[in-house]
Amino acid sequence: MSEDARATTVLLVGALMMRLAIGGAYAKYVRTGMGPLLLVAGILLAGLGLFGVVRALRRGGRPADADAHGHHHGGRIGWLLLAPVLALLLVTPPTLGSFAVSRSAAVNVTSGGKVFDALPPGRTVPMTLLEFDERVEDHRGVSFGAVQVRLTGFVTPSSDAQGFRIARYQIACCAADAVASVVRVTGASGSRPARDQWVTVTGTFAPTPDRVPELRAVSVAEITTPLDPYE
Amino acid sequence: MAAVLLRPVLTGLLKHPAAANWATIFVAITIQAMPFLVLGVAVSAAIAAFVPPGVIARMLPGRPVLAVPAAAVAGAALPGCECGSVPVAARLVSIGVTPAAAFAFLLSAPAINPVVLVSTAVAFPDRPMMVLARLMASLVASVAMGMLWIAFGRDDLLKARRAPDGDESGRRLTRFLATAQHDFLQAGGFLVIGAAAAATLQTLVPRDLVNSIARPGPISVLVLGVLAVLVSLCSEADAFVAAGLKQFSLTARLAFLVVGPMVDVKLFALQAGTFGPRFAWRFSLATFAVAVTSAGLIGWWLL
């Protein structure tokens, strides 16, 4: 790589990181807490790239000192950094969808053995799919009582005769370590939502013989993809 | 213009769920590793620019048998990835440090420095023992390789040293920035390869095949050892990829983390260029065997 190409690549990566961090799009790929870290890294990289660009411009095409001494360990490998940059600038890969649900390890909620207090009666409780599954495992879901809960997830394919399944990933660091929680939704009127459609469902827990956590829905609303798509 | 032509093609591809899944994981691994990459190259460039190279060498004991473990532990003081430790090890040899100690340092530095250990801890938030296991297995393997070199190593395998680099002059800040840029492009480029490989594994490999490889036992340890060699990850980023390879046992992933910083395709090229190919392939084969064994034993004990 020539010196100006190297500096421009670093500058591009830095600018893109800043854009992702400021615009919030990074939440599609990594844990939300990483935003400030990404911003700092982006600023540092952009600064480093700017320094290189200015230096290359000042030198005006003459080879860098290091090259004159026969250093060639820069190599062409740096070009590869443009691959994620291009991917993000051109198409913005979507949040992790239902394709990976069956491929990721299933959440093993039985190993946690959490014990939950009963839900407060009288209002609808918003809940993560993970907590729903954990509550189902805790004494077969006694903590639900008759309280309505609200779940948000995307539709994932299943062979169920009735209803459909929704899923949502938990991520520890980034989408590569995603693990899905799945809940079956029954009792909804109307047609089954399309695969990967995000929905908010409200309803009550229903015990099932096949141990798939099930929500008997009173309402299903299609929504746009949430800003923080992972739990 | 290429971008204009590419866009519809890529957009069409992303309509396929598998391609979209690949792209998301690929981008996620890359973005996730960036802050740690930046931290790593900043510290390593600062050391290259502001710390005199002789400082570490003067701390070593005179006898090789003592110098090897000391050099292996001293590796913790060089936060950087393997691309940075090869030139340092070469310099240690050239200023008269026994090669066995320089090689112990070469192998341990990319694996046991604080930056790598911190990113390992971040990548495995629920498994703090992974950090300890990585530290111990890497130290054991580095010291074992140093001792093996004392017993069987032949200095005639080493290429004659070239003259020292001549660019010690120049302003320190400029050297710092130039080194940081070089290290970032180098490590970042290889990180992209690793992210693509990991995303491909997660997307394409059928579950039953992965499960058959991923069952507990020595084969899966060997498989991830080989994978670490092939994907040539920077040690500052490999823990995140290992965390994503969750079809495999923790011991197998430990082998990935121990082998990766010591033997891989990129490191082989660097070593062959610095010390000569006759040295590099013997050294890499031996290191692979030692690293996999060390990871297997430590993993069996700790994880």
Side-chain angles (χ1 to χ4, degrees), chain A residues 51 73-74 94 102-103 173 176, chain B residues 24 32 122 177 186 202-203 207:
Chain A
F51 154 81
H73 42 223
S102 62
R103 290 172 172 258
C173 287
Chain B
T24 304
Q32 155 84 72
V122 172
L177 293 171
Q186 188 81 7
Q202 291 207 9
T203 305
R207 274 190 96 194

Side-chain angles (χ1 to χ4, degrees), chain A residues 6 17 20 29 34 38 45 48 51 55 73-74 77 80 90-91 94 96 99-100 102-103 173-174 176 178, chain B residues 7 10 21 24 28-29 31-32 34 122 174 177 181-182 184-186 189-190 192-193 202-203 205 207 246:
Chain A
R6 296 158 59 83
M17 300 270 294
L20 284 173
Y29 313 110
M34 283 196 67
L38 294 176
L45 283 176
L48 184 61
F51 154 81
R55 207 164 67 123
H73 42 223
I77 194 78
L80 285 177
L90 291 178
V91 286
L96 219 51
F99 176 83
S102 62
R103 290 172 172 258
C173 287
C174 74
Chain B
R7 185 176 213 147
L10 290 179
N21 190 70
T24 304
I29 292 178
I31 291 177
Q32 155 84 72
M34 277 303 159
V122 172
T174 310
L177 293 171
Q181 181 182 295
H182 163 263
F184 176 75
L185 287 169
Q186 188 81 7
F190 286 108
V192 168
I193 293 181
Q202 291 207 9
T203 305
V205 178
R207 274 190 96 194
K246 54 186 164 1

Side-chain angles (χ1 to χ4, degrees), chain A residues 1 3 6-7 9-10 13 17 20 26 28-31 34 37-38 40-42 44-45 48-49 51-53 55 66 69 71 73-75 77-84 86-97 99-100 102-106 169 172-179 195-196 230, chain B residues 2-4 6-7 10-11 14 16-18 20-21 23-38 41-42 122-126 162 165-167 173-174 176-178 180-193 201-207 240 243-247 270:
Chain A
M1 288 176 94
E3 199 192 350
R6 296 158 59 83
T9 304
V10 176
V13 174
M17 300 270 294
L20 284 173
Y26 74 94
K28 287 178 180 169
Y29 313 110
V30 299
R31 195 162 46 84
M34 283 196 67
L37 273 181
L38 294 176
V40 170
L44 291 176
L45 283 176
L48 184 61
F51 154 81
V53 169
R55 207 164 67 123
H69 286 286
H71 284 249
H73 42 223
I77 194 78
W79 285 115
L80 285 177
L81 274 170
L82 292 178
L86 274 180
L88 282 164
L89 285 182
L90 291 178
V91 286
T92 312
T95 62
L96 219 51
F99 176 83
S102 62
R103 290 172 172 258
S104 73
Y169 294 102
C173 287
C174 74
D177 62 53
V179 178
R195 178 180 175 174
D196 285 318
Y230 308 107
Chain B
V4 176
L6 262 174
R7 185 176 213 147
L10 290 179
T11 311
L14 282 194
H16 194 284
N21 190 70
T24 304
I25 292 179
F26 168 65
V27 167
I29 292 178
T30 314
I31 291 177
Q32 155 84 72
M34 277 303 159
F36 298 94
L37 212 55
V38 169
V41 301
V122 172
F124 289 90
D126 304 329
R162 60 194 161 87
D165 299 330
D167 58 349
L173 183 64
T174 310
F176 168 77
L177 293 171
Q181 181 182 295
H182 163 263
D183 282 8
F184 176 75
L185 287 169
Q186 188 81 7
F190 286 108
L191 168 71
V192 168
I193 293 181
L201 266 182
Q202 291 207 9
T203 305
L204 289 187
V205 178
R207 274 190 96 194
F240 297 107
L245 295 168
K246 54 186 164 1
Q247 305 93 327
L270 278 168

Side-chain angles (χ1 to χ4, degrees), chain B residues 72-245:
Chain B
V73 172
L78 183 83
C81 73
E82 50 269 40
C83 348
S85 60
V86 172
V88 175
R91 193 170 299 269
L92 289 183
V93 174
S94 77
I95 60 174
V97 172
T98 173
F103 296 149
F105 177 84
L106 164 77
L107 296 177
S108 78
I112 68 162
N113 69 68
V115 178
V116 168
L117 293 180
V118 165
S119 62
T120 307
V122 172
F124 289 90
D126 304 329
R127 303 276 180 183
M129 285 306 272
M130 199 67 177
V131 181
L132 184 63
R134 179 175 201 178
L135 174 68
M136 291 186 62
S138 301
L139 267 180
V140 166
S142 308
V143 172
M145 279 306 293
M147 294 303 179
L148 278 176
W149 183 266
I150 293 177
F152 304 108
R154 304 199 324 261
D155 286 356
D156 64 292
L157 284 174
L158 295 175
K159 197 171 79 173
R161 284 286 307 154
R162 60 194 161 87
D165 299 330
D167 58 349
E168 299 298 321
S169 60
R171 286 170 52 221
R172 287 187 164 177
L173 183 64
T174 310
R175 262 184 80 197
F176 168 77
L177 293 171
T179 309
Q181 181 182 295
H182 163 263
D183 282 8
F184 176 75
L185 287 169
Q186 188 81 7
F190 286 108
L191 168 71
V192 168
I193 293 181
T200 307
L201 266 182
Q202 291 207 9
T203 305
L204 289 187
V205 178
R207 274 190 96 194
D208 40 358
L209 177 65
V210 170
N211 288 340
S212 72
I213 299 173
R215 63 168 176 245
I219 296 300
S220 71
V221 175
L222 209 55
V223 165
L224 280 200
V226 171
L227 185 71
V229 174
L230 295 181
V231 298
S232 298
L233 289 184
C234 179
S235 62
E236 286 154 15
D238 59 0
F240 297 107
V241 174
L245 295 168

